[in-house]
């Protein structure tokens, strides 16, 4: 397993599809469910068949703009290999800490406003009912763990890779994402609860272990612990 690559993904693609079949109807329902969230805090555990492990914690308050993504990964012997955190603040800044390296990008909020205008110009109807907002994201690909915070008009970034609807209940939806394996979404929020992918002769999994819906701005901002005095 390759260790994570940190991304700042700007996914300005509206996940809207014509309801021509059950899969498309399900995707639209997941996007609609996600757009109703005010925010959340959640934790995922990552495991590989070779014994590597990881913990990923995500928090976001959509209205204020506060969000975070904290991660820690260990090798098969339990040795810490990588640890980091990403943040967006209410004043529109993006902050990253990986080991001793710290980065602050003060133009994050302004850049988002420009992209929002671009989305409006490209398709004035595209964002109806699906707000453009912050999105911390974590998922497994064929060789890596993708971690990043960006802005999107799509509720769940992986939906565009959907190949087949595996199963659906009132509580969860399981979708085959081809080379990204099978992903389970919570039906009422559109948030990923698990992912299983087999590639490079190993099986890796991501599973949600904690969850709190709409925790509020203070619950997110109070977790901030990057000492910017040394940057």
């Amino acid at each position: 397993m390759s260790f994570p690559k940190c991304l700042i993904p700007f996914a300005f693609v509206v996940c809207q599809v014509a309801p021509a079949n059950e899969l498309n109807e399900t995707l639209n329902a997941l996007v609609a469910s996600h757009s109703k969230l005010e925010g959340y805090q959640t934790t995922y555990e990552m495991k590989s068949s070779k014994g590597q492990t990881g913990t990923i914690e995500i928090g976001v308050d959509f209205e204020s703009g506060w969000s975070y993504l904290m991660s820690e990964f260990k090798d098969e012997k339990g040795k810490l290999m990588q640890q980091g955190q990403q943040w967006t603040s209410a004043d529109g800044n993006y902050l990253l800490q990986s080991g001793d390296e710290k980065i602050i990008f003060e133009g994050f909020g302004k850049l988002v406003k420009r992209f929002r205008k671009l989305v409006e110009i490209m398709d004035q109807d595209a964002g109806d009912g699906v707000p453009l907002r912050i999105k911390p994201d974590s998922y497994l690909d064929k060789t890596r763990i993708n971690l990043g915070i960006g802005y999107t008009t799509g509720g769940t970034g992986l939906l565009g890779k959907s190949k087949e609807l595996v199963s659906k209940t009132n509580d969860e939806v399981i979708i085959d994402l081809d080379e990204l394996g099978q992903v389970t979404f919570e039906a009422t929020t559109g948030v990923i609860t698990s992912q299983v992918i087999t590639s490079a002769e190993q099986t890796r999994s991501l599973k949600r272990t904690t969850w709190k819906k709409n925790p509020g701005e203070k619950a997110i901002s109070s977790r901030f612990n990057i000492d910017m005095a040394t940057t």
Side-chain angles (χ1 to χ4, degrees):
M1 178 194 74
S2 296
F3 282 92
K5 54 182 178 182
C6 293
L7 306 176
I8 309 176
F10 288 89
F12 291 91
V13 178
V14 180
C15 190
Q16 290 182 323
V17 285
N21 54 49
E22 187 177 12
L23 173 60
N24 290 340
E25 291 175 350
T26 301
L27 299 182
N28 284 333
L30 288 174
V31 171
S33 295
H34 196 277
S35 68
K36 295 175 183 178
L37 277 176
E38 297 173 11
Y40 59 90
Q41 288 177 297
T42 187
T43 304
Y44 295 94
E45 288 186 0
M46 192 283 301
K47 296 181 179 179
S48 79
S49 56
K50 293 185 177 181
Q52 297 147 329
T53 61
T55 302
I56 303 161
E57 183 180 347
I58 293 173
V60 60
D61 179 68
F62 293 122
E63 183 176 357
S64 68
W66 274 104
S67 73
Y68 65 81
L69 195 159
M70 302 180 187
S71 59
E72 180 178 282
F73 298 94
K74 298 179 180 180
D75 65 15
E76 60 276 8
K77 296 181 180 180
K79 180 181 177 181
L80 181 64
M81 297 293 292
Q82 188 172 19
Q83 189 175 40
Q85 53 181 312
Q86 301 178 49
W87 283 87
T88 59
S89 63
D91 52 5
N93 293 334
Y94 167 81
L95 306 100
L96 166 70
Q97 179 173 338
S98 181
D100 295 330
E101 183 179 10
K102 301 174 185 178
I103 297 172
I104 179 170
F105 178 40
E106 297 181 350
F108 197 67
K110 293 180 180 179
L111 187 59
V112 168
K113 291 180 180 179
R114 291 185 179 182
F115 274 105
R116 179 183 288 116
K117 194 65 178 179
L118 178 60
V119 170
E120 294 173 354
I121 294 173
M122 291 174 60
D123 188 347
Q124 295 183 357
D125 298 323
D128 289 352
V130 185
L132 179 71
R133 58 188 186 180
I134 196 108
K135 174 143 179 71
D137 210 1
S138 172
Y139 65 91
L140 306 171
D141 67 16
K142 293 176 65 177
T143 60
R144 295 178 180 271
I145 307 162
N146 292 275
L147 306 171
I149 299 177
Y151 278 76
T152 178
T153 51
T156 46
L158 290 181
L159 291 182
K161 302 179 184 296
S162 299
K163 178 182 179 183
E164 181 182 0
L165 177 63
V166 177
S167 65
K168 179 175 70 172
T169 68
N170 290 333
D171 298 321
E172 67 177 27
V173 175
I174 303 177
I175 297 177
D176 183 354
L177 298 182
D178 198 13
E179 64 181 21
L180 297 185
Q182 289 193 354
V183 179
T184 302
F185 297 89
E186 187 174 49
T188 56
T189 64
V191 173
I192 294 174
T193 59
S194 67
Q195 179 185 8
V196 179
I197 179 172
T198 300
S199 62
E201 299 182 350
Q202 68 172 317
T203 298
R204 294 173 297 140
S205 64
L206 196 67
K207 184 177 182 180
R208 191 174 76 176
T209 55
T210 68
W211 169 256
K212 185 174 184 179
K213 181 180 177 181
N214 303 336
E217 176 183 356
K218 186 175 180 180
I220 305 301
S221 61
S222 63
R223 298 295 311 280
F224 186 76
N225 61 357
I226 298 180
D227 182 8
M228 301 310 297
T230 60
T231 58

